[in-house]
Amino acid sequence: MNRNPKEKFARIDIRVNQKDKDKIKRFAEKCNLSISEYMAQRALGYEPTTVLPDVFFNFYNKLCQLDSTAGFTPETENKLLSLIDEIHSELLLPRKEDMHKWQPPDSGLSKTG
C-alpha cells in the first residue's frame, strides 16, 4: 500500500484480549509490518504476505538471469517469462481479498417495510 509521507494519520483504537494481541503481533512480524500497518491492510481487504527467505530471492534472481543469458527458443522463453510473472504475482505482490465473504448475509427483510 502506497502511503503519502506528508499525509496526516488518524488514530483508531481497538480492544482485544492479550492472547489475540499476541497472535496479531506474530502475524504482523511474519509479514515484516507494524501491528498498525498489518491491521490497516487487513481492514482494507489486503492479504499481507509473510516475508520470504533470502533463498527465495536468490532463486528468483537466478531464474531472471537464466532467461537473459540462455539461448532459449521463443516458446521456452515465453514459458519461463510466464513462470517468473506467476511467481512474482503470487508471492511478491499484495493482493486483495474477496470482501463479499465479509458481507453480512441478507436477512430477507425488506427495508421499506
Side-chain angles (χ1 to χ4, degrees), residues 42 45-47 96-105:
R42 294 297 299 171
Y46 289 92
E47 295 182 58
K96 279 227 165 181
E97 283 185 279
D98 177 11
M99 294 303 283
H100 293 290
K101 67 182 177 185
W102 291 56
Q103 300 298 321

Side-chain angles (χ1 to χ4, degrees), residues 6-88:
K6 295 180 182 178
E7 182 179 13
K8 299 235 181 202
F9 292 100
R11 184 174 187 91
I12 298 174
D13 294 317
I14 62 168
R15 292 181 145 326
V16 296
N17 63 39
Q18 188 62 45
K19 182 180 172 186
D20 289 343
K21 180 183 177 186
D22 293 341
K23 189 174 184 180
I24 293 167
K25 183 179 178 184
R26 282 194 309 275
F27 287 143
E29 287 172 349
K30 286 182 179 180
C31 298
N32 200 28
L33 297 172
S34 67
I35 292 174
S36 293
E37 184 62 24
Y38 178 82
M39 296 296 290
Q41 285 191 23
R42 294 297 299 171
L44 295 173
Y46 289 92
E47 295 182 58
T49 57
T50 57
V51 176
L52 297 166
D54 288 341
V55 70
F56 167 79
F57 291 102
N58 291 337
F59 176 69
Y60 181 79
N61 287 334
K62 286 179 183 178
L63 272 178
C64 293
Q65 289 171 358
L66 178 66
D67 178 52
S68 63
T69 60
F72 291 123
T73 65
E75 181 182 356
T76 303
E77 183 175 5
N78 285 337
K79 287 180 180 179
L80 179 58
L81 288 172
S82 177
L83 174 63
I84 291 170
D85 286 344
E86 186 178 342
I87 291 169
H88 186 263

